[in-house]
Amino acid sequence: MQLRLHNTNLSNIARENGWSRSVVSQALRTPLYPQEVAIAGKIGLTPRELFAERYDPKTGARRHPVKSTGQRSGRNVQGRAAKRHAVGGG
């Protein structure tokens, strides 16, 4: 794999970016733009060059929308704001 030739691997990319290795490896199978950028950057390519099948050959546009950055909204499953408990006290 090209990563080995560049003296790195998926675990290193994950560690450098604060991701789990499974998330980085998942980007090889499913579109995950931030991880695609990190992988492609390590081997000196653009995401479009490395993951050409994810882009329209005529327009160059991504075929899949870019997923969110994973920012949490602070809401639970029911959509309610999470309760904040006081620390300390007494």
Side-chain angles (χ1 to χ4, degrees), residues 37-87:
V37 171
I39 295 167
K42 282 294 182 181
I43 59 176
L45 299 173
T46 65
R48 184 176 176 193
E49 292 169 322
L50 185 59
F51 300 100
E53 71 282 0
R54 299 179 186 180
Y55 291 83
D56 185 291
K58 293 178 183 171
T59 65
R62 281 184 69 86
R63 292 182 174 171
H64 308 280
V66 174
K67 296 195 178 199
S68 75
T69 59
Q71 298 292 330
R72 292 184 173 232
S73 66
R75 297 190 174 272
N76 60 21
V77 176
Q78 289 82 22
R80 298 187 196 117
K83 292 181 182 177
R84 304 285 179 204
H85 297 285
V87 177

Side-chain angles (χ1 to χ4, degrees), residues 7-48:
N7 201 27
T8 193
N9 57 43
L10 296 179
S11 294
N12 288 341
I13 294 171
R15 205 172 8 263
E16 290 169 3
N17 290 284
W19 300 319
S20 70
R21 185 193 178 284
S22 63
V23 168
V24 178
S25 65
Q26 183 181 1
L28 300 176
R29 296 182 306 277
T30 186
L32 296 170
Y33 189 71
Q35 289 75 18
E36 291 172 22
V37 171
I39 295 167
K42 282 294 182 181
I43 59 176
L45 299 173
T46 65
R48 184 176 176 193

